[in-house]
Amino acid sequence: DGGITQSPKYLFRKEGQNVTLSCEQNLNHDAMYWYRQDPGQGLRLIYYSQIVNDFQKGDIAEGYSVSREKKESFPLTVTSAQKNPTAFYLCASMNVDRGRGYTFGSGTRLTVV
Amino acid sequence: AQRVTQPEKLLSVFKGAPVELKCNYSYSGSPELFWYVQYSRQRLQLLLRHISRESIKGFTADLNKGETSFHLKKPFAQEEDSAMYYCALSGGGSYIPTFGRGTSLIVHP
């Protein structure tokens, strides 16, 4: 059953800690993306990767880091430098045939305690 | 620069009434437009794309280049249509869509 899996579903972080959110896809999609979803602000792009070992900053990359060592995986690290990390994080992937649109994961809700 | 505007944060209708979720865009070239939907407790998913000219779950959307709009319409709303709807635009060879802020549709019984 093809799809995109995010884990964990809920994550709690203490102030000053780094945490890593997992995103794995078995759709053989080339491109993967991380978005942050906040109420009333829609989806804002954090980082994206269109090919293995390459990634680009999105609109709100500060305080985040990513890696793309494998086609299937695109983990996001929320660092202690991110001032307001409490949010819902969405991972997405897409075939380079962009007309097909995104496939989204089910999201990770990160809360700083 | 490309921009997507969804002017309504919330749209509330009764079951059986027509519904129109507005989407306006700003882009100088030929855009690709999408509607995504997020039902309660479900993941965000693609609803329809303008290039397909399809009708999904009774919803249609027509690209109006003159008015730079891509409004989502359904003639008779159902309670199960209650969800968050996002309009998105890709353009200029970029695979990365710009999303609107979303409209929450509530269909009352």
Side-chain angles (χ1 to χ4, degrees), chain B:
Chain B
Q2 55 195 53
R3 191 167 62 202
V4 176
T5 303
Q6 293 181 251
E8 302 138 330
K9 277 178 92 169
L10 173 66
L11 186 61
S12 183
V13 301
F14 285 99
K15 178 182 170 181
V19 63
E20 180 180 71
L21 290 90
K22 292 187 167 46
C23 173
N24 291 93
Y25 67 89
S26 173
Y27 182 67
S28 55
S30 288
E32 289 187 59
L33 284 141
F34 307 82
W35 276 100
Y36 287 84
V37 61
Q38 191 170 29
Y39 301 103
S40 179
R41 300 182 191 282
Q42 293 187 29
R43 64 181 67 194
L44 194 58
Q45 58 187 285
L46 180 65
L47 180 63
L48 54 80
R49 320 167 264 163
H50 92 271
I51 58 171
S52 301
R53 303 185 66 81
E54 56 205 342
S55 173
I56 304 290
K57 299 186 179 184
F59 284 98
T60 59
D62 290 317
L63 176 60
N64 185 323
K65 290 190 178 180
E67 294 183 359
T68 60
S69 68
F70 188 56
H71 304 327
L72 184 67
K73 299 178 186 178
K74 185 169 182 177
F76 307 104
Q78 303 300 314
E79 289 176 70
E80 55 265 30
D81 296 327
S82 296
M84 194 73 179
Y85 291 81
Y86 292 94
C87 182
L89 174 154
S90 291
S94 168
Y95 297 143
I96 303 168
T98 298
F99 284 85
R101 295 192 171 196
T103 297
S104 177
L105 174 65
I106 299 175
V107 182
H108 300 282

Side-chain angles (χ1 to χ4, degrees), chain A residues 30-99:
Chain A
D30 293 304
M32 297 186 74
Y33 308 80
W34 275 105
Y35 283 88
R36 174 177 167 140
Q37 188 179 27
D38 295 285
Q41 297 201 52
L43 277 69
R44 294 183 290 168
L45 182 65
I46 304 172
Y47 266 99
Y48 64 99
S49 168
Q50 295 184 330
I51 194 168
V52 174
N53 291 323
D54 186 52
F55 49 82
Q56 308 295 329
K57 291 183 179 180
D59 300 318
I60 56 164
E62 186 176 346
Y64 300 97
S65 66
V66 294
S67 63
R68 186 89 186 276
E69 296 174 4
K70 298 186 298 182
K71 188 175 186 178
E72 302 80 20
S73 178
F74 191 42
L76 173 74
T77 296
V78 184
T79 75
S80 56
Q82 169 48 235
K83 301 259 188 299
N84 185 22
T86 294
F88 190 61
Y89 291 88
L90 282 171
C91 181
S93 68
M94 183 162 62
N95 194 302
V96 291
D97 173 6
R98 59 197 161 132

